[in-house]
Amino acid sequence: MSIDHRHASASLRSVLLSRSPELLARQLAPKSGGDPLPELPRDSASADGAMRRWDTLPHAEGIDGARAELLDGSAADRAEQFARNVENFIGTVKVPVGIAGPLRVNGVHAQGLYWVPLATTEAALVASYSRGARLVSEAGGCTAVTINEGVSRAPGFAFRNIYEAGQFVAWAVANLSALRAVAESTSRYARLQDMRVSLEGNHVYLIFDYSTGDAAGQNMVTIATQAVCEHIARECPMQAQYSFVEANHSGDKKASAQSFMSVRGKSVTAEVVIPADLLKRRLHTSPKMMSNYWHMSAVGGVLSGTIGVQGHYANGIAALYLATGQDVACVAESAVGVTRFELAEDALYAAVTLPNLIVGTVGGGTVLPSQRACLDIMGLRGEGHSKALAEVCAGLALAGELSIVGAIVAGEFTSAHERLARGVQSPRRSPSSHDSARSSPEEPAR
């Protein structure tokens, strides 16, 4: 997090010159004393409880309008439905939902045409994914395969020395069957598939990999692992000095190199072959230019230190996660992956691989009314659909990669944003316009 010395000096001068030393000292000093901090009523997730929480908030300008917007009739009527999904409920935020597609997926679990709901505030996003989805569908659809699945949790244990840590590892490995039984007793769906071990000095990390049925499973594996840790504390003769149910070795909600060494959620790969004439008609460019861009962007990703090589998985995945009640914070790891474009005779071969799709079709936010409705649009609500949802996610990511790269290569990326986000028709012409044609309003590019 280093800063160039000139920028650091300029920033400090700006701060110091704009305020007197006395004022700055008062602003930055810890504040204590005075009246006790206000407490929010925590009695219920009912509409009455929400109103009492609103009454606790400062009555600043605009607060009445804020309350009317967030706690409207629909939110108040459904207040109790949100009780398991939020604390200190005060209302709901309305995010626009658009529909992208149709997206044809020829998957192991997802089969057919899917209309994909995307919740976003970013203009041009739905248009881009819809364009890419139609392109994939016109090419016959994408092949999608769920390769692996599992959700990990990694408790950590501290001992006095390496010898004790090694003894603990030997005990844990020998007692894996008992640990599995304890973990699986906490849920009808959690299954402890494997245990990996990482020993660092006198610290031991046990990385437990679970299957979680059709739930995303984050809470499920935490509860199972807590039970395992309590069993270890009771039964293991080599007692840890201290331990934690998660020691930051699982990759939970962060991009890490571990993404490509194991799996968190569902690992899916998808591919499509786009004929040159279709690519020219829909994206206004050629397989060679798409391949050229991919090679340059792959090197650019390496030079900038990205984990994986892809254009913008996070855009579509975040919008789909928000629409369907997934844990949106998991986009940090779910958006790690690899896109590849190659020439395939007179066509473009395109593939994506996403190793960490944390998705579920039961439990969590999927039970909320709007999110259930979005899953219903795709026919993917309830048990037996989580792998299909993961394959649709991969197909959506593939569609988005094709559309955004096509827009950049054809010189339409900026004009599409101006037209869709600002309502401006740009007079710009791309330097590569000899190899492209303008997108029509019916074929927007992101």
Side-chain angles (χ1 to χ4, degrees):
M1 295 180 64
S2 59
I3 305 173
D4 179 89
H5 72 280
R6 289 162 295 191
H7 292 164
S9 178
S11 297
L12 288 172
R13 282 199 307 272
S14 174
V15 170
L16 294 174
L17 291 175
S18 64
R19 297 167 177 82
S20 69
E22 295 79 10
L23 174 61
L24 193 60
R26 287 198 303 272
Q27 287 181 314
L28 301 182
K31 308 299 189 295
S32 59
D35 297 330
L37 292 174
E39 291 282 349
L40 283 171
R42 300 178 184 177
D43 48 352
S44 71
S46 67
D48 288 342
M51 287 295 292
R52 283 192 288 274
R53 281 182 281 277
W54 276 105
D55 291 339
T56 305
L57 300 180
H59 285 271
E61 183 179 355
I63 194 72
D64 291 336
R67 178 169 58 189
E69 178 61 34
L70 296 180
L71 192 63
D72 63 5
S74 176
D77 290 343
R78 294 176 167 178
E80 294 185 7
Q81 295 185 39
F82 297 106
R84 294 180 60 185
N85 294 85
V86 71
E87 299 77 42
N88 298 337
F89 173 75
I90 62 167
T92 59
V93 172
K94 291 78 173 174
V95 178
V97 178
I99 199 80
L103 173 66
R104 182 174 293 281
V105 181
N106 308 312
V108 174
H109 303 280
Q111 277 285 328
L113 286 172
Y114 292 89
W115 294 94
V116 185
L118 301 175
T120 182
T121 59
E122 183 183 355
L125 186 147
V126 174
S128 176
Y129 279 89
S130 195
R131 180 175 86 144
R134 294 189 71 88
L135 173 69
V136 168
S137 299
E138 288 178 346
C142 65
T143 300
V145 179
T146 301
I147 306 165
N148 195 7
E149 66 174 323
V151 181
S152 55
R153 188 58 72 215
F157 304 83
F159 298 89
R160 288 184 299 176
N161 50 50
I162 292 176
Y163 173 77
E164 287 187 0
Q167 291 289 97
F168 173 77
V169 169
W171 181 90
V173 171
N175 287 270
L176 179 56
S177 295
L179 301 184
R180 177 176 287 113
V182 170
E184 295 179 0
S185 70
T186 64
S187 167
R188 291 182 296 161
Y189 303 103
R191 295 293 177 266
L192 180 55
Q193 298 176 310
D194 196 10
M195 179 184 75
R196 292 172 286 132
V197 176
S198 180
L199 192 152
E200 184 278 316
N202 62 344
H203 287 179
V204 176
Y205 302 82
L206 299 181
I207 301 99
F208 294 117
D209 295 322
Y210 297 86
S211 62
T212 58
D214 287 295
Q218 299 276 63
N219 292 336
M220 188 187 300
V221 302
T222 300
I223 293 169
T225 303
Q226 180 66 43
V228 170
C229 290
E230 291 170 0
H231 175 83
I232 289 172
R234 288 193 306 269
E235 303 296 333
C236 181
M238 193 59 62
Q239 289 293 299
Q241 292 182 306
Y242 54 86
S243 64
F244 307 103
V245 71
E246 171 58 55
N248 206 28
H249 200 321
S250 67
D252 188 0
K253 297 180 182 176
K254 57 189 67 68
S256 70
Q258 186 168 275
S259 298
F260 295 103
M261 295 185 290
S262 57
V263 61
R264 269 188 60 80
K266 292 172 176 60
S267 177
V268 187
T269 189
E271 66 177 6
V272 68
V273 176
I274 310 289
D277 61 341
L278 180 59
L279 199 66
K280 181 71 174 178
R281 187 165 71 253
R282 293 303 186 197
L283 298 189
H284 317 129
T285 188
S286 66
K288 181 172 177 56
M289 288 302 296
M290 294 284 283
S291 178
N292 286 345
Y293 178 86
W294 179 81
H295 281 91
M296 179 173 280
S297 71
V299 174
V302 171
L303 293 175
S304 64
T306 62
I307 298 173
V309 178
Q310 44 90 15
H312 70 149
Y313 290 168
N315 267 323
I317 292 174
L320 183 58
Y321 277 19
L322 191 58
T324 59
Q326 312 303 317
D327 187 339
V328 183
C330 289
V331 170
E333 57 191 300
S334 294
V336 171
V338 173
T339 295
R340 181 160 54 91
F341 291 171
E342 289 183 358
L343 292 174
E345 297 180 353
D346 194 27
L348 176 72
Y349 174 83
V352 297
T353 300
L354 297 96
N356 297 303
L357 289 171
I358 305 285
V359 296
T361 53
V362 300
T366 68
V367 303
L368 295 174
S370 297
Q371 288 73 14
R372 276 176 21 207
C374 288
L375 287 168
D376 282 337
I377 289 172
M378 296 183 288
L380 296 179
R381 178 164 65 92
E383 294 186 5
H385 296 301
S386 62
K387 293 185 180 70
L389 179 59
E391 291 176 356
V392 170
C393 282
L396 181 73
L398 179 59
E401 296 292 273
L402 286 163
S403 186
I404 194 171
V405 172
I408 293 171
V409 170
E412 300 166 352
F413 182 74
T414 303
S415 62
H417 278 80
E418 289 179 325
R419 184 176 69 253
L420 295 175
R422 297 183 178 179
V424 176
Q425 292 294 332
S426 173
R428 295 187 183 91
R429 296 295 295 177
S430 165
S432 59
S433 58
H434 64 276
D435 187 47
S436 66
R438 276 288 159 210
S439 285
S440 69
E442 290 74 31
E443 295 177 349
R446 185 181 177 281

